[in-house]
């Protein structure tokens, strides 16, 4: 049968020589798994197990006994490994004999002496220990192997202090080569030692014989005197004197030995107290060790020590132990409060939260620290969000916010999305990492910066909050100790009961996020009473479509990050509703700004006519609408989980009316240009022949145009708009998903045709004025009436 562990091996001893009772340190391998595993330890053949102190599997401390060999091995025996071997040896030195009254410079190490005969831990004076050489002759070690001797004398021992002492084994081992005469001498020595012991006992009796006889004579004399007197008085006085003598003798004896006996009692009590302190030093040192380890942050050590103390002294009835264990409980309670305070501190990492929860569960803290941590984290996230809003509102009121008026360069307003979109890329589930410089932060409206900061805050804090809840649900917050004590099962049961509470926490965070964004961008969508809590912004001017587009992109990325946490979609639906409202608002604002830009196109008309008789105005009009629709492309496109921006009838009607308004604005712009009063118009140009091929060529040279020329150019532009531009714009609207195109096209065409008709009639009136002016006097002179004229035919 093979053992589970290797046999012990001794590889070193320090010191490697010394007299009996020298304290030595033994080192090696596989020296036992614990104090109970060590069942045997011999040095030079002497059993040293009673003085052995097991330190570790590689270290044992003990004292060397009165060995029978001058030099020998160190053999360790364990339950798990069996009898071991040794690669080193110990040399036993003979001590010099020191008399009782001789001075010595040697410090006598205090120790317990053991009765080697009975292996009982019974204190006996050092002077009564057996001599190392009882025969009194020179020891001559034989070369008989130890194993052969053990086989020859099974169950016996060569140690003369052992109960199983074998004289034959002792003689073979120590005096195998001794001569017969020397053995005779040894017998004589043994007889002398026996006689000395007997004589010593008798000597004590002989030494006290004189005293004994004196006492006997005194008592006899007293007895004779009592008989001679025969009176009660003498008897009484003598009896009284005898009692006094005996009392004085007793008092004197007590006086003589009281100090000695008192010192003995005090020494015994001190020794007992020291033994108790040594044996139970773990408990007595535990309160101080707990405080030191708490200061160092070694909470694991404190918990292990507390569990050990609880198992050993938790139910003790000893008053001293109860007192010290109460001190331990007091410090553990303080540690629980400290750990709970650290757990509820904010901000803190998920790793620290899990660590403190595990510590509190191992310390059997009352309540549910994990749920307390979840509640504290929830309140902290809400507080962070509101503090963020208050900070930016105060910053807005404290300085004049710069809202950049985007200048008109060329045909369209420049879009800030170019460099914004490059830095706003956010992977699914990742946190915001903004690399923009301070210039962008200064130019951006305060509401936009606030929304970015708010969403970044939520996306960075909510994942840890969600993971903490998941760990609470599956029980991974607790250690094996808590699992064995059934605490994990109770926690899972609590988690199932608190699912609705946690769902309300997530919904509250989502509602706060959405309402804070609405308060900054869509204040009219808040209910009455919510403006003060979630609003408070100074709306000096409304955000442009470009900034709203950027905000939409920011909120979308936040929604994607939260979706990656596997938060249920019903909790995130409120964010989708916010995104939809922002998209609708962005479309409205962009179309309104587009109408304002088109209204200013009249200022850009240079009246330069190309080969087809058109100016650049129709092209600018189309380009302006195309750029606006391109800016809205990301807003109009539906991300996964988003609804179409045109799903509501109200939105379709509003967008349709704004689109019609844009067309009408441009038609009004054309009418304004065609009827613009010009005081510098030369009247000579009024009669220029329309069919003159040099008409448009002369426009390049002469910048001042007549009203007649403006009408002609505008009529040409109107015809191009009707045949090309409006149809192209309708295709762009259709491509971007706009609804009600038929109505937009129909109303726009009717307005354009109406303008064309009016402008044409105006032009006819201009051309007919000279003819009518020359014919009119003659007509009225002859009382001419058109009714009398025949209708031309053929």
């Amino acid at each position: 049968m093979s053992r589970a562990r290797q046999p012990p091996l001794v590889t070193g001893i320090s010191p490697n020589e010394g007299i009996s009772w020298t304290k030595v340190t033994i080192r090696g391998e596989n020296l036992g798994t614990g104090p109970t595993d060590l069942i045997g330890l011999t040095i030079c053949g002497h059993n040293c197990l009673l003085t052995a102190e097991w330190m570790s599997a590689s270290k044992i401390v003990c004292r060397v006994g009165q060995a029978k060999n001058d030099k020998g091995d160190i053999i360790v025996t364990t339950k798990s490994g069996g009898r071991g071997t040794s690669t080193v040896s110990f040399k036993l030195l003979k001590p010099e004999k020191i008399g009782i009254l001789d001075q010595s410079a040697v410090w006598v190490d205090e120790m317990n002496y053991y009765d080697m005969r009975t292996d009982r831990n019974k204190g006996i004076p050092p002077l009564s220990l057996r001599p190392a050489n009882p025969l009194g002759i020179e020891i001559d070690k034989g070369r008989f192997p130890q194993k052969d001797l053990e086989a020859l004398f099974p169950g016996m021992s060569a140690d003369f202090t052992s109960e199983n002492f074998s004289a034959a084994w002792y003689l073979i081992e120590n005096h195998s080569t001794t001569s017969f005469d020397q053995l005779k001498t040894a017998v004589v020595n043994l007889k002398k030692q026996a006689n000395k012991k007997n004589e010593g006992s008798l000597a004590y009796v002989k030494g006290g014989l004189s005293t004994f006889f004196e006492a006997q004579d005194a008592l006899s004399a007293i007895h004779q005197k009592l008989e001679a007197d025969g009176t009660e008085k003498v008897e009484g006085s003598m009896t009284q004197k005898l009692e006094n003598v005996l009392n004085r003798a007793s008092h004197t004896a007590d006086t003589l030995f009281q100090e000695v006996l008192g010192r003995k009692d005090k020494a015994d009590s001190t020794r007992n107290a020291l033994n108790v302190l040594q044996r139970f030093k773990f408990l007595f040192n535990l309160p101080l060790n707990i405080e030191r380890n708490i200061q160092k942050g070694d909470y694991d050590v404190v918990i292990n020590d507390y569990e050990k103390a609880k198992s050993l002294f938790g139910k003790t009835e000893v008053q001293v132990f109860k007192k010290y264990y109460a001190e331990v409980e007091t410090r553990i309670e303080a540690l629980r409060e400290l750990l709970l305070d650290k757990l509820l501190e904010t901000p803190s990492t998920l790793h620290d939260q899990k660590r403190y929860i595990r510590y509190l569960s191992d310390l059997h803290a009352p309540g549910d620290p994990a749920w307390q941590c979840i509640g504290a984290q929830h309140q902290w996230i809400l507080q962070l969000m509101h503090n963020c809003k208050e900070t930016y509102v105060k910053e807005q009121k404290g300085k004049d916010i710069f809202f950049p008026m985007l200048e008109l360069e060329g045909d369209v307003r420049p879009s800030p999305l170019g460099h914004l979109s490059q830095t706003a890329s956010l992977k699914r589930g990742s946190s915001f990492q903004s690399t923009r410089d301070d210039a962008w932060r200064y130019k951006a409206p305060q509401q936009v910066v606030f929304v970015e900061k708010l969403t970044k805050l939520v996306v960075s804090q909510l994942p840890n909050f969600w993971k903490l809840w998941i760990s609470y649900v599956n029980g991974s917050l607790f250690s094996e100790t808590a699992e064995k004590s059934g605490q994990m099962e109770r926690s899972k049961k609590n988690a199932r009961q608190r699912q609705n509470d946690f769902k309300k926490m997530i919904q509250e965070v989502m509602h706060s996020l959405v309402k804070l964004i609405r308060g900054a961008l869509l204040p009219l969508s808040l209910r009455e009473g919510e403006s003060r809590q979630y609003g408070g912004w100074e709306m000096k001017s409304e955000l442009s479509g470009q900034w709203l587009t950027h905000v939409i992109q920011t909120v979308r990325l936040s929604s994607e990050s939260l979706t990656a946490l596997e938060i249920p979609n019903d909790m995130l639906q409120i964010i989708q509703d916010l995104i939809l409202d922002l998209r609708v608002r962005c479309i409205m604002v962009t179309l309104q700004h587009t109408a304002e830009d088109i209204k200013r196109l009249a200022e850009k008309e240079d009246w330069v006519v190309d080969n087809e008789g058109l100016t650049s105005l129709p092209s600018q009009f189309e380009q302006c609408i195309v750029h606006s629709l391109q800016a809205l492309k990301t807003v109009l496109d539906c991300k996964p989980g988003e609804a179409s921006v045109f799903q509501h009838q109200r939105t379709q009607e509003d967008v349709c009316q704004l689109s019609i308004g844009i067309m009408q604005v441009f038609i009004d712009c054309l009418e304004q240009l065609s009827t613009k009063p010009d005081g510098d118009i030369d009247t000579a140009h009024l009669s220029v022949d329309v069919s003159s091929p040099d008409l448009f060529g002369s426009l390049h040279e002469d910048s001042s145009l007549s009203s007649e020329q403006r009408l002609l150019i505008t009529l040409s532009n109107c015809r191009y708009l009707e045949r090309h531009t409006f149809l192209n714009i309708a295709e762009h609207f259709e491509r971007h998903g706009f609804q009600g195109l038929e109505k937009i096209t129909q109303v726009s065409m009717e307005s354009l045709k109406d303008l064309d008709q009016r402008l044409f009639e105006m032009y006819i009136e201009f051309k007919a004025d000279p003819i009518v002016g020359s014919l009119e006097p003659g007509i009225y002179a002859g009382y001419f009436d058109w009714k009398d004229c025949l209708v031309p035919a053929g």
Side-chain angles (χ1 to χ4, degrees):
M1 178 177 177
S2 61
R3 296 185 178 270
R5 296 176 60 89
Q6 295 293 325
L9 174 64
V10 176
T11 57
I13 184 169
S14 175
N16 59 4
E17 62 180 13
I19 62 174
S20 300
W21 307 111
T22 300
K23 190 175 184 179
V24 296
T25 301
I26 299 169
R27 299 189 181 275
E29 301 173 0
N30 305 315
L31 300 183
T33 58
T36 58
D37 192 38
L38 183 65
I39 59 174
L41 173 61
T42 59
I43 300 178
C44 298
H46 184 270
N47 184 8
C48 302
L49 182 62
L50 289 173
T51 61
E53 184 178 359
W54 186 89
M55 309 298 289
S56 67
S58 58
K59 179 180 177 182
I60 297 175
V61 177
C62 73
R63 292 184 182 273
V64 179
Q66 289 193 338
K68 55 192 176 182
N69 298 328
D70 293 334
K71 189 173 185 180
D73 293 337
I74 302 96
I75 304 300
V76 177
T77 307
T78 61
K79 292 181 183 177
S80 59
R83 181 180 176 88
T85 56
S86 173
T87 61
V88 295
S89 59
F90 183 82
K91 182 177 182 182
L92 187 69
L93 304 178
K94 293 183 179 179
E96 297 179 1
K97 292 184 178 180
I98 300 174
I100 297 176
L101 300 179
D102 293 344
Q103 294 184 349
S104 172
V106 178
W107 179 267
V108 180
D109 192 5
E110 293 183 5
M111 57 161 290
N112 289 330
Y113 291 91
Y114 298 88
D115 189 345
M116 303 304 177
R117 296 169 300 174
T118 60
D119 284 344
R120 287 180 299 189
N121 187 356
K122 194 173 183 181
I124 57 176
L127 295 175
S128 64
L129 287 175
R130 275 58 175 171
N133 187 2
L135 300 182
I137 59 177
E138 185 178 356
I139 294 175
D140 188 5
K141 293 283 185 180
R143 296 183 181 180
F144 290 94
Q146 191 75 11
K147 292 182 180 179
D148 294 346
L149 290 173
E150 289 176 358
L152 191 61
F153 303 99
M156 307 301 287
S157 171
D159 187 358
F160 60 88
T161 62
S162 174
E163 292 181 350
N164 300 325
F165 173 67
S166 171
W169 186 349
Y170 179 82
L171 290 173
I172 293 172
E173 187 176 20
N174 295 292
H175 300 286
S176 58
T177 58
T178 304
S179 64
F180 184 72
D181 294 336
Q182 285 181 323
L183 290 176
K184 285 183 178 180
T185 306
V187 172
V188 173
N189 291 338
L190 282 175
K191 290 180 178 179
K192 285 182 180 179
Q193 290 180 16
N195 292 333
K196 278 183 180 179
K197 287 184 180 179
N198 296 330
E199 289 173 1
S201 301
L202 292 174
Y204 287 112
V205 178
K206 289 179 181 178
L209 278 178
S210 59
T211 306
F212 173 76
F213 287 130
E214 289 176 1
Q216 182 70 23
D217 293 341
L219 289 173
S220 298
I222 292 172
H223 184 65
Q224 291 174 1
K225 190 172 184 180
L226 287 173
E227 289 180 350
D229 292 345
T231 60
E232 293 182 0
K233 184 177 179 182
V234 173
E235 185 178 353
S237 61
M238 291 304 293
T239 304
Q240 185 66 34
K241 288 180 180 179
L242 180 60
E243 289 179 356
N244 291 338
V245 170
L246 293 175
N247 287 336
R248 283 198 299 272
S250 175
H251 178 72
T252 303
D254 290 343
T255 305
L256 288 173
F257 291 100
Q258 188 173 13
E259 185 180 356
V260 176
L261 294 174
R263 285 202 303 269
K264 179 180 181 300
D265 292 340
K266 186 176 180 181
D268 290 342
S269 62
T270 303
R271 189 179 298 107
N272 292 336
L274 290 174
N275 286 336
V276 171
L277 287 174
Q278 180 66 22
R279 183 176 178 184
F280 301 104
K281 63 181 179 180
F282 166 73
L283 177 63
F284 298 135
N285 294 335
L286 189 55
L288 183 60
N289 289 338
I290 287 176
E291 289 186 356
R292 289 175 177 171
N293 289 324
I294 288 175
Q295 291 176 358
K296 292 190 292 184
D298 294 338
Y299 303 121
D300 290 309
V301 178
V302 175
I303 292 170
N304 290 336
D305 290 346
Y306 173 63
E307 288 293 336
K308 181 179 177 182
K310 187 175 182 180
S311 63
L312 293 175
F313 306 102
K315 298 180 180 179
T316 182
E317 295 298 330
V318 182
Q319 291 300 322
V320 175
F321 295 163
K322 288 174 72 174
K323 181 179 179 181
Y324 272 88
Y325 185 72
E327 289 289 329
V328 172
E329 285 288 0
T330 302
R331 283 160 174 76
I332 291 297
E333 184 60 33
L335 175 60
R336 290 192 189 107
E337 296 176 1
L338 173 67
L339 291 174
L340 186 61
D341 292 340
K342 287 182 174 291
L343 174 64
L344 301 182
E345 275 182 5
T346 50
S348 62
T349 62
L350 180 64
H351 173 73
D352 287 341
Q353 290 171 350
K354 289 184 175 181
R355 189 161 58 96
Y356 292 135
I357 290 171
R358 191 172 291 116
Y359 289 152
L360 287 168
S361 70
D362 288 343
L363 290 173
H364 308 287
D368 194 347
W371 181 250
Q372 288 178 272
C373 178
I374 291 173
Q377 194 74 6
H378 168 244
Q379 292 298 328
W380 181 64
I381 293 174
L382 292 178
Q383 189 63 41
L384 280 181
M385 295 166 68
H386 285 283
N387 289 347
C388 180
K389 191 265 292 189
E390 293 297 333
T391 301
Y392 279 95
V393 168
K394 288 180 182 178
E395 190 175 344
Q396 185 195 43
K397 293 179 179 178
K399 66 178 183 179
D400 293 328
I401 304 302
F402 173 65
F403 285 95
M405 293 301 293
L406 300 178
E407 298 178 0
L408 295 171
E409 297 178 2
D411 298 331
V412 294
R413 63 174 69 215
S415 169
L417 294 174
H419 73 280
L420 292 185
S421 60
Q422 294 175 2
T423 55
S425 59
L426 180 68
K427 292 184 179 179
R428 193 173 172 82
S430 65
S431 60
F432 287 100
Q433 295 292 337
S434 177
T435 56
R436 301 188 188 95
D437 53 9
D438 293 335
W440 178 88
R441 180 182 175 86
Y442 176 71
K443 291 179 182 179
Q446 204 73 351
Q447 289 96 321
V448 176
V449 182
F450 162 69
V451 171
E452 280 222 341
K453 180 68 175 178
L454 182 68
T455 52
K456 178 182 179 182
L457 187 151
V458 173
V459 169
S460 62
Q461 295 299 329
L462 207 59
N464 285 346
F465 184 57
W466 182 261
K467 291 173 184 176
L468 182 64
W469 164 254
I470 296 299
S471 300
Y472 179 64
V473 171
N474 60 29
S476 62
L477 288 176
F478 306 102
S479 62
E480 295 180 359
T481 306
E483 185 175 0
K484 293 177 182 177
S485 64
Q487 192 166 354
M488 186 180 295
E489 290 301 323
R490 292 195 297 271
S491 171
K492 290 182 178 180
K493 183 179 178 181
N494 292 339
R496 288 192 294 269
Q497 294 174 350
R498 287 168 173 159
Q499 279 184 346
N500 289 333
D501 294 335
F502 182 76
K503 186 175 181 181
K504 290 178 182 177
M505 287 183 181
I506 294 291
Q507 288 174 342
E508 189 175 356
V509 172
M510 294 299 141
H511 278 279
S512 297
L513 171 65
V514 169
K515 288 180 180 179
L516 286 171
I517 295 176
R518 286 185 182 274
L521 304 176
L522 305 170
L524 298 179
S525 65
L526 292 177
R527 298 176 183 174
E528 294 183 6
E530 293 180 339
S531 300
R532 183 174 182 181
Q533 184 179 2
Y534 299 104
W537 298 85
E538 295 181 0
M539 295 295 181
K540 296 182 179 180
S541 61
E542 192 170 12
L543 293 181
S544 65
Q546 287 88 345
W547 289 120
L548 284 174
T549 303
H550 174 66
V551 168
I552 290 169
Q553 185 183 13
T554 301
V555 178
R556 276 175 167 170
L557 292 171
S558 305
S559 178
E560 290 179 8
S561 299
L562 297 177
T563 304
L565 291 177
E566 297 181 358
I567 296 177
N569 290 331
D570 57 339
M571 296 185 187
L572 302 178
Q573 184 57 41
I574 188 172
I575 298 182
Q576 296 300 330
D577 296 340
L578 170 67
I579 293 174
L580 181 61
D581 291 348
L582 288 174
R583 291 166 65 200
V584 171
R585 188 63 196 157
C586 180
I587 292 172
M588 301 297 181
V589 170
T590 302
L591 293 179
Q592 290 171 3
H593 286 185
T594 302
E596 294 174 5
D597 293 345
I598 289 173
K599 188 182 295 185
R600 289 194 291 268
L601 282 180
E603 302 170 5
K604 294 191 175 185
E605 179 60 277
D606 55 4
W607 300 105
V608 177
V609 182
D610 59 10
N611 295 331
E612 297 181 3
L614 305 172
T615 64
S616 61
L617 202 61
S619 175
Q620 291 182 16
F621 169 60
E622 183 178 350
Q623 288 298 320
C624 188
I625 291 180
V626 168
H627 280 286
S628 296
L629 293 177
Q630 288 177 347
L632 289 174
K633 187 177 187 307
T634 56
V635 178
L636 292 168
D637 292 342
C638 294
K639 298 290 183 180
E642 292 182 357
S644 171
V645 78
F646 298 112
Q647 65 176 351
H648 297 300
Q649 186 66 28
R650 177 69 182 276
T651 305
Q652 295 179 15
E653 294 175 358
D654 291 344
V655 171
C656 183
Q657 289 299 326
L658 285 173
S659 302
I660 293 173
I662 290 175
M663 302 296 213
Q664 191 61 48
V665 163
F666 186 67
I667 293 172
D668 294 342
C669 178
L670 290 175
E671 185 173 6
Q672 177 189 351
L673 286 171
S674 62
T675 58
K676 183 178 180 181
D678 192 350
D680 300 331
I681 295 177
D682 189 359
T683 54
H685 289 151
L686 289 176
S687 59
V688 176
D689 187 1
V690 179
S691 63
S692 171
D694 196 35
L695 173 64
F696 296 114
S698 64
L699 294 178
H700 297 283
E701 299 172 1
D702 191 357
S703 60
S704 60
L705 297 176
S706 63
S707 299
E708 178 185 340
Q709 290 171 328
R710 284 201 186 91
L711 283 173
L712 280 175
I713 295 172
T714 304
L715 282 170
S716 178
N717 284 342
C718 286
R719 182 57 56 87
Y720 185 79
L721 287 171
E722 181 181 351
R723 294 182 177 179
H724 300 284
T725 304
F726 275 18
L727 297 177
N728 292 341
I729 290 173
E731 290 180 3
H732 288 302
F733 279 148
E734 184 179 8
R735 193 177 301 127
H736 286 85
F738 277 58
Q739 304 294 321
L741 293 177
E742 295 179 0
K743 182 177 180 181
I744 297 173
T745 306
Q746 180 184 353
V747 176
S748 302
M749 288 294 189
E750 289 176 357
S751 297
L752 186 62
K753 289 178 180 178
D754 182 57
L755 174 64
D756 183 89
Q757 184 64 30
R758 284 186 281 113
L759 293 180
F760 183 72
E761 290 176 358
M762 196 179 298
Y763 177 74
I764 293 297
E765 187 178 347
F766 270 122
K767 299 302 290 183
D769 272 349
I771 302 173
V772 172
S774 60
L775 294 177
E776 197 170 19
I779 293 173
Y780 292 113
Y783 301 99
F784 178 78
D785 191 352
W786 285 104
K787 295 178 182 179
D788 299 336
C789 291
L790 298 173
V791 179

